[in-house]
Amino acid sequence: MAYPYTRPRRMRRDDFSRRLMREHVLTTNDLIYPVFVHEEKGRMPVASMPGVERLSIDELLRVGEEALELGVPVLDLFGVPDPAAKTADGRIAWDEDGIIPRAIRALKARFPELGVMSDQALDPYTTHGQDGLIDDTGYILNDETIEALVKQSLAHAAAGVDILSPSDMMDGRIGAIREALEKAGYINTRIMSYAAKYASAFYGPFRSAVGSAGNLGKGNKFTYQMDPANSNEALHEIALDLDEGADMVMVKPGLPYLDVIRRVKDEFGVPTFAYQVSGEYAMIKAAAANGWLDEKACALEALTAFKRAGADGVLTYFALDAARWLRDG
């Protein structure tokens, strides 16, 4: 029936009726908190990401306790090694006594019920800042990099990680990692693949946080990360990773790629995640600091947008704040 008998605003008039017809709900169960773990003592603020800090392992345990209290189910660990330990091949990435294996062991020993996820890529550990090994021309070598990623994955699995999240975008790495896990007996170690990771301009603050920005310099990652103009390619990449044994897939970045998230969920119906990356976070924080935006309202709106697009969960630096906002109303 037409107006005036049909009035959509009737259902918007009161809070109770708006709640009754709400299609998507964000909860703490949807949040994964990325954390930077460094070799230094204490906490070190990340200048380009207000509110985010690099953490020593003892400080990481405090954050783990806070996450549990707030109901955030998973921490995602990114290593910040001693710059002097970086090499061209990034071999410290698979050292069983490296920063991430030690962090994993510490978290699982103290909080066995907390989900622990870790990043597999070489960029924080290499002198050139690329995610893989390079040849004499600077080209990133695919198969040689996979061998390194398998070593890194096994080191993290041995430390007790729950979820591996390869972020390198090398061809075939999910299958190689899954095969190595099976052979080593880590049959329940899950893989969340960065299956559709774009060569985005939104990663700048993250690279500063893990200490790879200076090493990368004016270099780029166009030969292995995806072209931001492509959508069909994302479906192809995800199909390959699922066939190779990924349990979950990720689209990264988040808000500029909501259409890709929707296509992935519709096409495959598998656990699908979005990464609200450092640049997205920094933009909201900077605008809020200038009084141009309401931080809480904008952050929660953005996180809800991921759910509406089809994401099952979101990696976000707002995770602890969002959990508090959702708790306190």
Side-chain angles (χ1 to χ4, degrees), residues 74 116-118 120 161-165 189-192 248:
V74 180
V116 178
M117 178 170 160
S118 65
Q120 288 74 55
V161 80
D162 298 298
I163 306 170
L164 297 171
S165 55
T189 303
R190 283 139 282 199
I191 298 176
M192 180 189 292
M248 300 166 273

Side-chain angles (χ1 to χ4, degrees), residues 12 32 39 42 55 58 60 76 141 178 193 197 203 207 219 227 235 250 253-254 259 265 268 273 275 287 309 319 328:
R12 303 179 197 141
I32 295 174
E39 297 280 9
L55 305 173
D58 59 326
L60 173 67
D76 186 14
L141 300 167
R178 176 58 73 198
S193 171
K197 181 178 181 180
Y203 300 150
R207 290 172 183 165
D227 186 334
L235 300 187
M250 183 201 299
D259 60 316
K265 192 63 176 180
F268 300 103
F273 293 78
Y275 199 141
D328 299 337

